[in-house]
Amino acid sequence: MAKIIVVTSGKGGVGKTTTSAAISSGIAMRGHKTVVIDFDIGLRNLDIIMNCERRVVYDFVNVINGEANLRQALIKDKRAENLYILPASQTRDKDALTVEGVERILNELAADGFEYIICDSPAGIEHGAFMAMYFADMAIVVANPEVSSVRDSDRILGILQSKSRRAERGERVEECLLLTRYNPERVAKGEMLGVTDVEEILATKLLGVIPESETVLKASNQGIPVIHDIESPAGQAYSDAVGRLLGEEVEHRFMSVEQKGLFKRLFRRSA
Amino acid sequence: MSIFDYFRSAKKDTASIAKERLQIIVAHERNQRNKPDYLPKLQQELLEVIRKYVDVDQDQVEVQLDNNGNCSVLELNITLPDRV
Ligand SMILES: Nc1ncnc2c1ncn2[C@@H]1O[C@H](COP(=O)(O)OP(=O)(O)OP(=O)(O)O)[C@@H](O)[C@H]1O
Ligand SMILES: [Mg+2]
């Protein structure tokens, strides 16, 4: 049975697409057949983050409308063996997604043997974001350590707990928090919310902390999901998060200044 | 004392202020969303009934549902207009 994971946040620009690309790549690299779906209809961007923007022929909405089949629309990732991308449509409006249409595609993907279906949600709490989370078994709530992002995360948690299909059936979506763009130095100075603060406010299990890192921009410049950059703290932090997602016990790192200092020292020594 | 000194001497750093503010607003918003769906409609209909007798504004009728352990209290607060 396929596990459907939504990457969501409420607030825009917090790192959902970066996370969807990294996490789906990481799961696939560990041998699981994985598909990542861009639900940001009209603002397709997962394709450019994953360097397949010039290979898009058909998209998610084409498949829903029966204008193409899944096989024609799925793009095989060039880096990770078991990974496929289903791009968003660039032209249609977001009402093109229907509950029935999305359900049909998810069922087809599951029947095709996909083990993990990652849904990259658009920002907001409108139709597109609702479609991305409705069928989810698990939700990765991406937040930045900043007041508006944390507040929006709580709203999204509320929606997951009341409006998702699992909620309608009296079940629960497995929720976890991914705190990204984390800056331990600023936390130490009391200028930024710390991970324990955010955990306490949201009362949600922590999947991981991704440090603010220059390598994320470098990775997106080249269209290489940052998880492939195994030297970078952000790449390593995403790798750890994938491990936890798959049930491994992985200790948290990159959360404090000391650790980061040690890392730098180790790096310098090995360089 | 300049504003700069004020900020420096203030005990609380900005992250603590952020945390406190978030705790308050998140608790408030959770409380709102745990309310049953019928509450706004109940409030509207109550308002209509009250208006048959007294001239009150929308915001002068307050309906609140508080959960105390295993019992809930529906509190109705109506501010009547000043007598002239
Ligand atoms: N850990 C990080 N360190 C530094 N920059 C980051 C990090 N994570 C994300 N970013 C940057 O933040 C910006 C927004 O990221 P991204 O597009 O993934 O967000 P999003 O939540 O998908 O946005 P939208 O709501 O528009 O879909 C990008 O420029 C990205 O490079
Ligand atoms: Mg995005």
Side-chain angles (χ1 to χ4, degrees):
Chain A
M1 224 183 70
K3 186 163 188 172
I4 303 171
I5 305 176
V6 62
V7 179
T8 183
S9 69
K11 189 170 159 68
V14 296
K16 293 179 293 297
T17 301
T18 305
T19 298
S20 300
I23 298 267
S24 59
S25 299
I27 295 175
M29 286 190 294
R30 284 161 186 255
H32 302 281
K33 193 172 174 191
T34 305
V35 57
V36 57
I37 308 178
D38 190 348
F39 273 78
D40 209 339
I41 306 299
L43 280 174
R44 161 159 95 208
N45 265 324
L46 184 69
D47 58 339
I48 202 159
I49 296 300
M50 302 193 69
N51 198 20
C52 63
E53 69 276 13
R54 285 169 316 184
R55 292 199 283 146
V56 176
V57 183
Y58 294 109
D59 59 57
F60 194 17
V61 175
N62 290 138
V63 182
I64 286 180
N65 292 345
E67 296 151 358
N69 60 39
L70 261 179
R71 202 177 296 264
Q72 292 172 299
L74 285 175
I75 302 172
K76 193 177 182 327
D77 189 61
K78 289 222 164 116
R79 287 199 166 73
E81 180 70 33
N82 306 295
L83 181 59
Y84 292 80
I85 299 133
L86 186 53
S89 117
Q90 186 67 302
T91 51
R92 321 282 182 112
D93 77 283
K94 41 190 179 300
D95 293 332
L97 297 182
T98 59
V99 171
E100 300 73 35
V102 173
E103 182 172 31
R104 187 169 50 83
I105 307 308
L106 293 176
N107 287 341
E108 262 183 61
L109 287 166
D112 252 1
F114 281 97
E115 291 171 79
Y116 288 90
I117 302 174
I118 313 296
C119 306
D120 180 17
S121 174
I125 51 173
E126 308 282 304
H127 186 71
F130 173 73
M131 283 295 134
M133 64 105 194
Y134 184 66
F135 294 100
D137 299 306
M138 182 183 192
I140 300 177
V141 177
V142 180
N144 293 161
E146 171 268 318
V147 286
S148 52
S149 172
V150 174
R151 180 197 197 173
D152 287 0
S153 297
D154 195 66
R155 295 222 37 208
I156 283 291
L157 288 167
I159 294 170
L160 284 162
Q161 287 157 14
S162 60
K163 301 266 157 52
S164 63
R165 188 169 66 164
R166 276 185 168 252
E168 285 174 359
R169 291 176 171 175
E171 300 163 355
R172 225 188 138 91
V173 177
E174 193 188 331
E175 300 149 352
C176 58
L177 167 71
L178 188 74
L179 196 58
T180 69
R181 311 203 67 161
Y182 196 70
N183 186 329
E185 282 88 3
R186 299 198 73 183
V187 174
K189 280 193 226 153
E191 295 175 356
M192 184 182 264
L193 285 163
V195 56
T196 45
D197 298 334
V198 181
E199 265 186 286
E200 195 184 320
I201 295 160
L202 296 177
T204 302
K205 186 183 71 187
L206 184 70
L207 177 67
V209 174
I210 313 297
E212 168 83 24
S213 168
E214 290 168 12
T215 53
V216 174
L217 182 60
K218 287 187 194 155
S220 72
N221 284 342
Q222 301 168 274
I224 306 170
V226 70
I227 199 163
H228 290 287
D229 187 351
I230 52 171
E231 307 253 289
S232 84
Q236 292 170 356
Y238 272 120
S239 254
D240 289 359
V242 168
R244 287 182 206 111
L245 203 73
L246 298 177
E248 295 165 20
E249 285 277 338
V250 187
E251 223 179 299
H252 288 282
R253 6 178 212 168
F254 313 113
M255 302 202 315
S256 59
V257 184
E258 298 83 60
Q259 271 176 328
K260 205 181 163 197
L262 177 70
F263 241 88
K264 273 194 183 144
R265 256 178 280 141
L266 285 175
F267 262 95
R268 236 177 263 141
R269 209 171 296 162
S270 64
Chain B
M1 193 168 89
S2 74
I3 282 199
F4 193 72
D5 289 332
Y6 173 78
F7 277 117
R8 214 171 16 195
S9 67
K11 276 224 182 66
K12 261 186 222 147
D13 52 53
T14 58
S16 315
I17 300 171
K19 184 181 180 182
E20 244 172 59
R21 291 174 59 220
L22 275 168
Q23 278 171 323
I24 293 165
I25 189 66
V26 163
H28 175 77
E29 286 176 348
R30 276 183 196 161
N31 207 28
Q32 294 288 110
R33 72 174 176 245
N34 289 335
K35 280 182 183 168
D37 298 341
Y38 61 72
L39 223 54
K41 193 144 183 278
L42 175 73
Q43 177 157 5
Q44 192 55 42
E45 286 178 19
L46 280 171
L47 183 70
E48 278 160 28
V49 173
I50 294 159
R51 270 189 183 157
K52 282 189 190 168
Y53 304 92
V54 213
D55 185 28
V56 289
D57 282 343
Q58 171 98 41
D59 54 359
Q60 282 162 323
V61 177
E62 216 180 290
V63 181
Q64 200 162 321
L65 192 71
D66 286 317
N67 295 312
N68 296 314
N70 51 8
C71 94
S72 302
V73 178
L74 183 69
E75 206 180 277
L76 186 60
N77 235 312
I78 307 158
T79 316
L80 297 178
D82 289 342
R83 267 175 291 183
V84 275

